[in-house]
Amino acid sequence: MNNSGSQKLEKKFKGSIIAVSIIIPVAVAVLFSVKLKDLGIEVEPLSFLPPIYASINGITALLLIMGVMAIKNGNRKVHEKLMTLAIACSVIFLVMYVAYHMTAESTRFGDVNGDGMLDDIEKTNAGSMRYAYFFILISHIILSIAIIPLVLFTYVRALAEQFDRHKKLAKITFPIWLYVAITGVVVYLMISPYYVQ
């Protein structure tokens, strides 16, 4: 693809990428606040999903690392497949995450008795780990929003064969995406003891 055609391809997708980057976080925020039972839809909480979507985050992290290793070894085809799989895993994670939160009440860090509130004893017992948890969770959420356009623009630049520009943006995208994937697992491991069984 010539340079003019490459730039046209990126420009063609620019508006869509920006729209998707806004729509996804807004849709997730809206759906996150909707509980199916409040809409009169009786559904059992999908309590089996958190370990699955946490595992998908772990798989995403591995795919990202393997993808970088593949391109460093000059294997572009394997790199493409691994990055495409990483995007697919991120989409699957998102669907499962929203589905879980539409069917289950949110879990609070430190809520040992599962009543949805933290009393003074629970707060004391959770201690400074609560602050560590919230730091990891908040940074994970913020960067998971920021990563959407970064991943999409990086991917489109590769499709457009703008490999210099792709590589330049990938150097920013990769560590952020890897952080989001790894902290997704960490957040699950930290909150999982408090899930109501």
Side-chain angles (χ1 to χ4, degrees):
M1 188 178 294
N2 63 36
N3 193 42
S4 173
S6 298
Q7 288 179 348
K8 282 181 184 174
L9 185 64
E10 187 175 343
K11 282 182 181 175
K12 177 182 174 184
F13 284 105
K14 186 176 182 179
S16 298
I17 290 172
I18 291 168
V20 165
S21 300
I22 294 167
I23 291 167
I24 289 176
V26 170
V28 169
V30 169
L31 292 173
F32 193 87
S33 66
V34 172
K35 300 292 182 219
L36 293 179
K37 68 178 184 179
D38 295 339
L39 300 174
I41 303 169
E42 289 302 318
V43 179
E44 285 295 314
L46 301 175
S47 53
F48 62 92
L49 285 179
I52 297 171
Y53 63 65
S55 299
I56 289 172
N57 266 325
I59 291 166
T60 302
L62 289 174
L63 290 169
L64 291 172
I65 292 165
M66 288 166 39
V68 168
M69 289 169 57
I71 201 65
K72 286 190 176 196
N73 290 329
N75 198 333
R76 186 186 295 171
K77 286 291 177 194
V78 171
H79 173 76
E80 277 179 36
K81 287 177 183 173
L82 290 168
M83 292 298 111
T84 303
L85 276 173
I87 292 171
C89 282
S90 294
V91 171
I92 292 166
F93 161 82
L94 189 60
V95 170
M96 288 184 174
Y97 181 78
V98 170
Y100 169 74
H101 283 285
M102 288 181 75
T103 63
E105 296 300 323
S106 292
T107 301
R108 297 186 72 173
F109 187 86
D111 183 15
V112 176
N113 64 10
D115 66 356
M117 299 184 319
L118 287 186
D119 59 33
D120 291 339
I121 295 170
E122 288 173 323
K123 280 183 186 174
T124 302
N125 289 340
S128 60
M129 284 305 292
R130 283 184 72 228
Y131 300 108
Y133 170 77
F134 285 121
F135 173 80
I136 295 166
L137 177 65
I138 291 166
S139 64
H140 170 82
I141 291 168
I142 291 168
L143 291 174
S144 69
I145 293 167
I147 199 63
I148 298 168
L150 288 172
V151 167
L152 295 176
F153 276 116
T154 303
Y155 194 73
V156 167
R157 285 179 182 182
L159 289 177
E161 298 179 2
Q162 294 182 337
F163 296 118
D164 287 344
R165 296 182 74 225
H166 166 79
K167 185 177 177 181
K168 189 174 179 181
L169 188 55
K171 286 182 178 182
I172 298 166
T173 304
F174 170 72
I176 296 172
W177 195 0
L178 185 61
Y179 178 85
V180 168
I182 291 170
T183 54
V185 177
V186 172
V187 164
Y188 166 73
L189 292 174
M190 292 180 81
I191 197 72
S192 62
Y194 306 108
Y195 282 128
V196 177
Q197 298 301 324

